[in-house]
Amino acid sequence: MYKRIVLKLSGEVLAGPKGFGLDAEKIAEITQEIVDVHALGVEIGIVVGGGNIFRGVMDQAKNMDRVSADNMGMLSTIINAIAMQDALEQRGIQCRVMT
Protein backbone atom coordinates (compact mmCIF):
# COMPACT_ATOMS: atom_id res chain seq x y z
CA MET A 1 0.00 0.00 0.00
CA TYR A 2 1.33 3.43 -0.94
CA LYS A 3 1.37 6.25 1.64
CA ARG A 4 1.54 9.03 -0.95
CA ILE A 5 0.62 9.25 -4.60
CA VAL A 6 0.55 11.85 -7.36
CA LEU A 7 -2.52 11.80 -9.58
CA LYS A 8 -2.35 13.53 -12.98
CA LEU A 9 -5.73 14.57 -14.35
CA SER A 10 -6.00 15.95 -17.85
CA GLY A 11 -8.24 18.94 -18.28
CA GLU A 12 -10.16 17.00 -20.89
CA VAL A 13 -11.30 14.41 -18.34
CA LEU A 14 -12.92 17.19 -16.28
CA ALA A 15 -14.96 18.21 -19.32
CA GLY A 16 -16.72 14.85 -19.49
CA PRO A 17 -18.57 14.02 -22.69
CA LYS A 18 -18.95 17.70 -23.66
CA GLY A 19 -15.25 17.90 -24.44
CA PHE A 20 -14.85 21.45 -23.08
CA GLY A 21 -15.51 23.38 -19.90
CA LEU A 22 -16.31 21.63 -16.63
CA ASP A 23 -18.77 18.77 -16.24
CA ALA A 24 -20.14 18.70 -12.67
CA GLU A 25 -21.11 15.02 -12.86
CA LYS A 26 -17.66 13.96 -14.07
CA ILE A 27 -15.96 16.05 -11.38
CA ALA A 28 -18.22 14.46 -8.74
CA GLU A 29 -17.32 11.00 -10.04
CA ILE A 30 -13.59 11.68 -9.98
CA THR A 31 -13.82 13.37 -6.60
CA GLN A 32 -15.58 10.36 -5.09
CA GLU A 33 -12.79 8.08 -6.29
CA ILE A 34 -10.23 10.41 -4.71
CA VAL A 35 -12.22 10.46 -1.44
CA ASP A 36 -12.30 6.64 -1.44
CA VAL A 37 -8.52 6.41 -1.87
CA HIS A 38 -7.96 9.10 0.77
CA ALA A 39 -10.11 7.10 3.20
CA LEU A 40 -7.50 4.32 2.94
CA GLY A 41 -4.97 6.69 4.50
CA VAL A 42 -3.24 7.70 1.27
CA GLU A 43 -2.01 11.28 0.86
CA ILE A 44 -2.76 12.48 -2.66
CA GLY A 45 -1.10 15.19 -4.71
CA ILE A 46 -3.11 16.14 -7.78
CA VAL A 47 -1.67 17.70 -10.93
CA VAL A 48 -4.35 18.97 -13.27
CA GLY A 49 -4.19 20.14 -16.87
CA GLY A 50 -6.11 22.90 -18.59
CA GLY A 51 -6.92 21.49 -22.03
CA ASN A 52 -10.66 21.53 -21.44
CA ILE A 53 -10.55 25.32 -21.30
CA PHE A 54 -7.52 26.38 -23.30
CA ARG A 55 -7.93 24.07 -26.31
CA GLY A 56 -11.26 25.76 -26.96
CA VAL A 57 -9.50 29.06 -27.63
CA MET A 58 -6.40 27.70 -29.36
CA ASP A 59 -7.41 29.02 -32.77
CA GLN A 60 -7.67 32.54 -31.38
CA ALA A 61 -4.40 32.12 -29.48
CA LYS A 62 -2.33 30.98 -32.48
CA ASN A 63 -1.46 34.57 -33.39
CA MET A 64 -0.83 35.61 -29.80
CA ASP A 65 2.47 36.31 -28.16
CA ARG A 66 3.86 33.03 -26.79
CA VAL A 67 4.04 34.33 -23.21
CA SER A 68 0.42 35.49 -23.31
CA ALA A 69 -0.72 32.14 -24.66
CA ASP A 70 1.31 30.26 -22.01
CA ASN A 71 -0.22 32.45 -19.31
CA MET A 72 -3.71 31.59 -20.57
CA GLY A 73 -2.87 27.91 -20.39
CA MET A 74 -1.60 28.25 -16.83
CA LEU A 75 -4.75 30.12 -15.81
CA SER A 76 -6.79 27.25 -17.25
CA THR A 77 -5.04 24.82 -14.94
CA ILE A 78 -5.74 27.08 -11.96
CA ILE A 79 -9.45 27.22 -12.83
CA ASN A 80 -9.53 23.41 -12.91
CA ALA A 81 -7.58 23.14 -9.67
CA ILE A 82 -10.02 25.45 -7.88
CA ALA A 83 -12.96 23.40 -9.20
CA MET A 84 -11.37 20.22 -7.84
CA GLN A 85 -10.54 21.90 -4.53
CA ASP A 86 -14.15 22.98 -4.09
CA ALA A 87 -15.48 19.51 -4.91
CA LEU A 88 -13.07 17.85 -2.48
CA GLU A 89 -13.73 20.31 0.34
CA GLN A 90 -17.48 19.80 -0.06
CA ARG A 91 -16.78 16.14 0.78
CA GLY A 92 -14.73 17.02 3.85
CA ILE A 93 -11.26 16.61 2.36
CA GLN A 94 -8.83 19.41 3.23
CA CYS A 95 -7.25 20.65 0.02
CA ARG A 96 -4.97 23.47 -1.13
CA VAL A 97 -4.28 24.81 -4.59
CA MET A 98 -0.63 25.66 -5.18
CA THR A 99 0.70 27.27 -8.33
Side-chain angles (χ1 to χ4, degrees), residues 44-66:
I44 306 166
I46 302 171
V47 178
V48 64
N52 57 319
I53 297 169
F54 190 65
R55 288 206 209 318
V57 296
M58 262 181 138
D59 285 340
Q60 294 89 339
K62 67 181 173 190
N63 295 323
M64 290 181 75
D65 174 72
R66 174 66 189 259

Side-chain angles (χ1 to χ4, degrees), residues 20-85:
F20 65 91
L22 296 167
D23 183 282
E25 289 180 25
K26 190 63 176 177
I27 290 173
E29 178 185 316
I30 293 167
T31 301
Q32 187 57 55
E33 291 184 27
I34 293 169
V35 168
D36 293 344
V37 172
H38 183 265
L40 298 172
V42 179
E43 293 178 2
I44 306 166
I46 302 171
V47 178
V48 64
N52 57 319
I53 297 169
F54 190 65
R55 288 206 209 318
V57 296
M58 262 181 138
D59 285 340
Q60 294 89 339
K62 67 181 173 190
N63 295 323
M64 290 181 75
D65 174 72
R66 174 66 189 259
V67 173
S68 296
D70 287 347
N71 285 337
M72 289 174 64
M74 288 185 283
L75 286 172
S76 299
T77 67
I78 295 168
I79 290 168
N80 287 337
I82 292 170
M84 289 300 299
Q85 176 186 21

